[in-house]
Amino acid sequence: MTVRAYVAIGANLGDARAAVLRAMTDLDALPGSRVVSRSSLYRSAPVDASGPDFINAVVALETGLAPEPLLRELQRLELGAGRERPYRNAPRTLDLDLLYHGDAAMATPALTLPHPRISERAFVLLPLAEIAPDRVTQAQLRQVSDQRIERL
């Protein structure tokens, strides 16, 4: 049995565009998973972070992986792309955030679903609205309208 999961992808170090595109390919190759929809790429200013602009996207993933095993796979891909975590919201070579895993609602030390900051970030809401308009409200989009973001 599979569920639809949504994964936000971002990078702002190195060749960020290539890292995001590579992550889309890598996500499609996860065990028991396949990418069924990809948003456009977006350029956004860092939010609660420093460094260069980010390249962002969101993918819809049909997966047989449960939430925490999927999270471990996402973290493995981040490490493979050279992700380091020297401090909170540090610039990064790759950031993969599990936004939704079906309709799962959970809060463990490792994972909170749905992702707790979805509605605060234009770089998540705009690409998510592109591929899953039922997951994003106009009110949410208005709340982030002051954040700088452009579709590439």
Side-chain angles (χ1 to χ4, degrees):
M1 183 170 142
T2 64
V3 300
R4 177 143 315 172
Y6 293 91
V7 178
I9 308 168
N12 74 333
L13 291 179
D15 188 342
R17 181 185 190 107
V20 170
L21 293 172
R22 174 62 191 222
M24 289 178 173
T25 300
D26 291 344
L27 288 166
D28 195 47
L30 291 179
S33 304
R34 67 186 177 94
V35 171
V36 293
S37 187
R38 303 171 183 218
S39 75
S40 301
L41 298 182
Y42 290 78
R43 179 185 322 277
S44 66
V47 175
D48 298 327
S50 61
D53 284 355
F54 277 83
I55 302 298
N56 300 99
V58 171
V59 299
L61 190 67
E62 285 293 327
T63 185
L65 294 170
E68 288 186 335
L70 179 55
L71 176 65
R72 286 191 293 275
E73 288 292 327
L74 299 181
Q75 292 170 338
R76 181 184 61 77
L77 293 176
E78 288 176 338
L79 286 172
R83 170 80 188 261
E84 296 178 359
R85 299 173 189 265
Y87 55 90
R88 183 174 166 81
N89 294 328
R92 56 210 70 159
T93 54
L94 183 62
D95 186 31
L96 299 172
D97 287 333
L98 182 55
L99 303 175
Y100 293 103
H101 189 279
D103 292 322
M106 61 186 287
T108 70
L111 179 62
T112 301
L113 288 173
H115 191 287
R117 290 177 298 283
I118 291 171
S119 63
E120 300 169 11
R121 299 180 164 148
F123 65 81
V124 171
L125 288 173
L126 269 69
L128 181 61
E130 185 182 329
I131 63 170
D134 58 312
R135 294 274 186 177
V136 180
T137 67
Q138 289 302 312
Q140 287 174 311
L141 292 172
R142 280 192 299 276
Q143 284 182 285
V144 298
S145 64
D146 62 332
Q147 295 177 20
R148 184 172 58 81
I149 185 167
E150 66 176 306
R151 188 174 172 179
L152 300 178

